[in-house]
Amino acid sequence: MTTIHVGNSSPPPSSPGPGLIPHACSASPDLFLKIFPIDFFFLLLFLVCHRVNKQTMNATTAILRRNALRTLRTSSAPLSRFQPISIRNYSASTNYEYILVSEPRPGVGQITLNRPKALNALCTPLITELNSALRDFQTSSTISAILLTGSERAFAAGADIKEMAPLTFSEAYQNSFIESWSDLTTQLKKPLIAAVSGHALGGGCELALMADILYCTATANFGQPEIKLGTIPGAGGSQRLTRAVGKAKAMELILTGKSFSGEEAEKWGVAARVFKSHEELIEGALKTAETIAGYSKVAVQAAKEVVNKSQDLGLRDGVEYERRVFHALFGSQDQKIGMKAFAEKKKADWSHS
């Protein structure tokens, strides 16, 4: 090793006396560097830091142990006092203002629009919360089907007029107003069932039409009344309603702003089923969601995908697309499990892969 001499001071003694190692705070830098080789200086610094870190770590560990023991003592009440509930909150860590989120059945997530004073009118904050909850359900390993509903009085009475009224063209256009509503159809891969009771007007009707399956009560009130406000549907109403009821009927409904009932919705193919009461509606929707949740997630997602493609492709291209997805499923484990279970007359135990 090389000894470094700094400055013009005289050379140090050949060796310091026993116990006379200079203190870093009392000795001058020149004297310190003269006495010790630079390599030894860095080694000493490392050992000091290592000892301090070790002492700090030991002290921190002791504090954590004491806190853990204190927590166990204060939470030692018997658990037998707590009774299980049939519907649990899906995400206790998320506090929503305009929606309620739960898991009422195994594999089923439920979102309830909860803006009662405004009859669940759709505003940007509500849609933001809805999209957030749907993303959580989409990424959940336990949720396979989703139910979207409102209150008995209103599924959603429309878009929030107070939010829309002051908008200018440039504001609506540059900020892509209500574009985020389409996240339901572009990002959600799991089946979505809409259970509609009461009013589903304007944006509420469009929201219901975005679902994969629509159930409603006989007295539900659907409509696209935007023409009465000097505007038109802006969240897909003119497109999805036309595909459901045909051009002639859709043109009549949109140009006049006329409403139609739940019974008519089922008759025209807008709704899959109609129920007499709100209670029967929710129960029927949950049963369907639970049935879907009991099947292979891979097959369910594929089935939704090919049915939705029928709305985008011509018949020939649609059939070709369906066949490709059908062939692809032969590479899944659940296709083997399902066919083997059928041949053996057993219930399939899906692997979801």
Side-chain angles (χ1 to χ4, degrees):
M1 292 189 294
T2 304
T3 303
I4 298 177
H5 299 278
V6 180
N8 299 321
S9 57
S10 59
S14 58
S15 63
L20 297 180
I21 299 175
H23 192 279
C25 295
S26 61
S28 68
D30 289 355
L31 179 59
F32 185 82
L33 291 172
K34 288 175 183 178
I35 295 174
F36 294 104
I38 192 67
D39 295 8
F40 179 76
F41 169 71
F42 284 115
L43 175 60
L44 181 62
L45 181 62
F46 170 80
L47 293 173
V48 170
C49 293
H50 178 71
R51 180 173 179 81
V52 170
N53 288 338
K54 186 174 180 180
Q55 291 173 345
T56 304
M57 225 157 79
N58 290 339
T60 303
T61 304
I63 292 170
L64 290 174
R65 284 176 178 171
R66 287 198 299 271
N67 289 342
L69 289 172
R70 192 177 298 116
T71 302
L72 287 172
R73 293 191 193 102
T74 57
S75 60
S76 58
L79 296 177
S80 58
R81 295 181 302 170
F82 299 95
Q83 300 298 323
I85 57 175
S86 57
I87 299 178
R88 69 176 181 87
N89 288 335
Y90 179 73
S91 179
S93 61
T94 305
N95 294 318
Y96 292 118
E97 183 178 357
Y98 299 114
I99 63 173
L100 302 174
V101 181
S102 61
E103 189 179 339
R105 302 283 175 87
V108 179
Q110 179 173 326
I111 302 173
T112 304
L113 305 181
N114 186 40
R115 200 185 174 199
K117 292 182 179 179
L119 295 179
N120 293 334
L122 304 175
C123 58
T124 298
L126 185 151
I127 294 297
T128 300
E129 291 185 0
L130 175 60
N131 285 334
S132 175
L134 288 172
R135 281 192 296 269
D136 287 344
F137 280 149
Q138 176 61 42
T139 58
S140 170
S141 60
T142 61
I143 299 299
S144 299
I146 304 165
L147 171 63
L148 175 63
T149 189
S151 65
E152 182 175 1
R153 186 181 178 191
F155 175 75
D160 194 330
I161 303 301
K162 292 181 180 179
E163 182 182 20
M164 291 193 298
L167 287 178
T168 64
F169 163 74
S170 59
E171 290 172 337
Y173 182 66
Q174 293 182 62
N175 296 326
S176 300
F177 180 60
I178 76 172
E179 184 176 331
S180 61
W181 294 25
S182 297
D183 288 354
L184 267 74
T185 58
T186 58
Q187 297 184 15
L188 187 65
K189 307 299 182 184
K190 296 177 181 179
L192 177 68
I193 301 172
V196 177
S197 178
H199 300 296
L201 301 172
C205 183
E206 291 172 303
L207 182 63
L209 288 170
M210 293 180 195
D212 300 305
I213 301 172
L214 197 162
Y215 287 169
C216 65
T217 58
T219 56
N221 182 34
F222 295 91
Q224 300 289 166
E226 290 86 354
I227 198 73
K228 298 178 181 180
L229 302 177
T231 185
I232 64 171
S238 65
Q239 306 304 302
R240 295 188 179 90
L241 185 61
T242 301
R243 282 168 168 75
V245 303
K247 178 185 175 182
K249 181 62 69 176
M251 194 71 80
E252 178 190 34
L253 293 170
I254 291 172
L255 290 179
T256 63
K258 181 181 177 182
S259 298
F260 56 97
S261 68
E263 289 184 341
E264 290 173 315
E266 193 226 6
K267 179 181 177 182
W268 297 341
V270 175
R273 289 176 62 186
V274 65
F275 297 84
K276 293 181 180 179
S277 68
H278 179 257
E279 292 75 16
E280 292 179 4
L281 167 69
I282 299 300
E283 181 61 25
L286 286 173
K287 282 184 177 180
T288 297
E290 192 173 13
T291 297
I292 294 171
Y295 295 132
S296 163
K297 293 180 182 179
V298 179
V300 168
Q301 181 172 324
K304 172 176 174 172
E305 182 180 339
V306 295
V307 172
N308 281 336
K309 275 296 180 182
S310 71
Q311 304 299 294
D312 303 327
L313 303 175
L315 179 61
R316 181 175 179 178
D317 290 337
V319 170
E320 194 69 27
Y321 186 88
E322 176 193 70
R323 189 177 298 117
R324 292 291 176 262
V325 177
F326 171 71
H327 291 163
L329 286 178
F330 281 87
S332 72
Q333 292 296 319
D334 282 347
Q335 179 268 337
K336 309 302 179 189
I337 291 171
M339 293 191 174
K340 181 180 179 182
F342 178 81
E344 296 176 353
K345 298 182 179 180
K346 296 179 180 179
K347 184 178 180 180
D349 185 13
W350 307 112
S351 67
H352 305 296
S353 61

